[in-house]
Amino acid sequence: MKAIAVTPRKRTVEIINQAEPQIFSPTDVKLRMLEAGVCGTDKEICAFEYGTPPAGSEHLVIGHESLGEVVEVGPQVTRVSVGDIVVPMVRRPCPHDYCIACRADRQDFCFTGDFQERGIKERHGFMAQFVVDDEKYMNVVPQDMRDVAVLVEPLTIAEKGLSQVWQVQQRLPWGCPVVPGKAAAHCHRAVVLGAGPVGLLGAMALVNQDFDTYVYSREPTPNPKSQLVESIGAHYISSENIAPEMLPEHVGNIDLVYEATGASRLAFEMIKYLGTNGIFIFTGVPGRKGPIEVDTDLVMRNLVLKNQVVFGTVNAGRDSFENSIRDLGTFTQRWPAAVKSLITGRFPMESYADLLLGRFSGIKNVIRLN
């Protein structure tokens, strides 16, 4: 079968031929991979910033945003059936008995760092024509979501972040007054940093929970992303027109910041304007650059005097995948054109170089694998 792989020792990115995987365990599931989304992580691995092949292999098959069709199941499989379309989870647990998170199937909170991640760290990924994995990592997607289901995995970033927001804010009277027809967050304001796929999906998740949502990005208006943002009932603000220190004047008390850029300079500038009792969610991983100046006294003073919380979130557990599938279905009903426009194009495997190594434009580009 064909697969897209990096070989760090040789610094190559190419389509390779390797043996088609076979079912080994009674709970294994074999997938015919349909699509894989291209994201910044894939590009960074292809630039050899990180990415670790499995033990005994020189190459790493990349890809973690995926969609596959079940073509064969082991004799003890009960979660999925042949013909189902599924989105596999990415992270696999560490082997240590003392890691309470991994032993509880919450490897997204692994304590040891010895987890594996498909397409990223010590496990081959999903940019291959076939994949075999245990049924416990499979999430069935309704057939009528086939055209957008590759967005499930990137949406889990927002889903996991929001689930933590509600847990954290149980520490104070943060809930909104009950209003018929209004969702739980109708009195809160959120700012999304960045209008890439993670940011736009995060904005949809926030609007879906009734946050008054603002997307803050570089591109001047009007542009396709600003039009998408407005179409879902959110607001788009260009940093070319409004500086970060002016955002509270335009937004009001900023209850939540959802960072989706990986740009630490912007993030730490924005953290200064987080509102009282606010939460700041980091989702991006910045590259290695020179140091930046941060007014640490102001940040610390605000954290203490305004009862603020800052946390980072990475990977996702099953609950986030299930919430993502549910909410993506809701998005497609509420904003069908906006959701479809998130996927800029679908391309054959042979286009891998342009997509992974070039400066291909758009929001979410997808590689067809079969």
Side-chain angles (χ1 to χ4, degrees):
M1 69 169 187
K2 294 180 179 179
I4 301 172
V6 300
T7 304
R9 186 178 65 83
K10 298 179 181 178
R11 298 182 71 84
T12 58
V13 183
E14 58 191 339
I15 293 179
I16 64 169
N17 286 297
Q18 65 179 27
E20 186 176 313
Q22 304 299 321
I23 284 180
F24 176 76
S25 163
T27 56
D28 275 349
V29 174
K30 185 173 182 178
L31 303 178
R32 180 175 70 93
M33 300 310 298
L34 302 173
E35 296 179 340
V38 176
C39 81
T41 297
D42 300 313
K43 294 181 179 181
E44 288 162 2
I45 292 172
C46 290
F48 307 103
E49 295 181 21
Y50 51 90
T52 307
S57 174
E58 283 196 337
H59 69 269
L60 170 70
V61 176
I62 62 172
H64 58 280
E65 299 179 3
S66 70
L67 179 68
E69 179 185 12
V70 178
V71 294
E72 186 180 351
V73 297
Q76 295 181 17
V77 169
T78 59
R79 284 183 54 84
V80 301
S81 302
V82 172
D84 285 343
I85 58 171
V86 301
V87 174
M89 296 168 66
V90 178
R91 186 173 286 191
R92 304 294 175 264
C94 76
H96 306 297
D97 291 340
Y98 54 84
C99 181
I100 189 171
C102 287
R103 301 293 71 79
D105 293 326
R106 289 311 305 259
Q107 54 268 21
D108 52 316
F109 288 106
C110 177
F111 284 98
T112 71
D114 291 335
F115 56 82
Q116 299 175 331
E117 288 179 319
R118 297 211 65 151
I120 303 171
K121 180 176 182 280
E122 299 173 353
R123 277 283 185 103
H124 289 313
F126 301 124
M127 282 191 192
Q129 292 182 307
F130 293 92
V131 163
V132 170
D133 210 337
D134 193 278
E135 67 166 340
K136 70 192 298 184
Y137 303 117
M138 304 294 162
N139 301 279
V140 177
V141 179
Q143 293 284 349
D144 61 3
M145 288 174 57
R146 164 70 178 79
D147 287 346
V148 297
V150 75
L151 299 172
V152 165
E153 195 279 339
L155 177 56
T156 63
I157 300 169
E159 296 290 354
K160 182 180 177 182
L162 283 171
S163 69
Q164 292 175 80
V165 164
W166 291 112
Q167 291 170 21
V168 169
Q169 294 297 55
Q170 290 177 11
R171 69 200 171 102
L172 56 89
W174 200 68
C176 299
V178 176
V179 176
K182 292 286 188 178
H186 67 87
C187 68
H188 295 309
R189 303 177 183 94
V191 172
V192 177
L193 300 184
V198 173
L200 292 172
L201 285 165
M204 289 181 175
L206 288 160
V207 172
N208 195 49
Q209 293 200 14
D210 226 3
F211 282 87
D212 186 12
T213 303
Y214 297 76
V215 175
Y216 188 61
S217 187
R218 290 179 297 180
E219 297 94 322
T221 57
N223 65 71
K225 293 179 181 178
S226 69
Q227 293 166 357
L228 187 157
V229 167
E230 297 291 341
S231 76
I232 66 171
H235 316 277
Y236 183 94
I237 299 177
S238 170
S239 61
E240 289 204 355
N241 300 324
I242 303 294
E245 61 268 23
M246 299 168 63
L247 281 174
E249 179 183 342
H250 288 262
V251 175
N253 186 75
I254 299 174
D255 300 295
L256 175 66
V257 175
Y258 180 75
E259 179 277 320
T261 64
S264 60
R265 184 180 297 276
L266 171 62
F268 278 92
E269 178 66 17
M270 188 62 218
I271 205 170
K272 296 189 295 187
Y273 309 109
L274 181 65
T276 301
N277 299 325
I279 287 188
F280 195 110
I281 308 174
F282 281 99
T283 74
V285 181
R288 297 186 180 277
K289 301 172 185 173
I292 63 170
E293 289 189 7
V294 178
D295 188 343
T296 53
D297 286 346
L298 176 60
V299 171
M300 185 172 177
R301 188 182 302 118
N302 284 347
L303 285 169
V304 173
L305 298 181
K306 294 184 177 182
N307 289 306
Q308 295 170 339
V309 172
V310 177
F311 69 81
T313 182
V314 66
N315 205 264
R318 178 170 302 284
D319 59 336
S320 297
F321 275 86
E322 292 173 347
N323 292 343
S324 181
I325 292 167
R326 178 201 66 207
D327 287 346
L328 188 60
T330 301
F331 301 170
T332 58
Q333 293 176 0
R334 294 186 66 178
W335 315 299
V339 174
K340 287 185 178 180
S341 71
L342 290 173
I343 299 177
T344 302
R346 290 178 163 89
F347 304 88
M349 292 181 76
E350 290 72 21
S351 298
Y352 75 93
D354 291 336
L355 296 168
L356 294 164
L357 305 174
R359 295 182 59 84
F360 216 87
S361 61
I363 300 176
K364 174 60 64 179
N365 292 302
V366 175
I367 295 177
R368 295 192 304 267
L369 300 168
N370 273 292

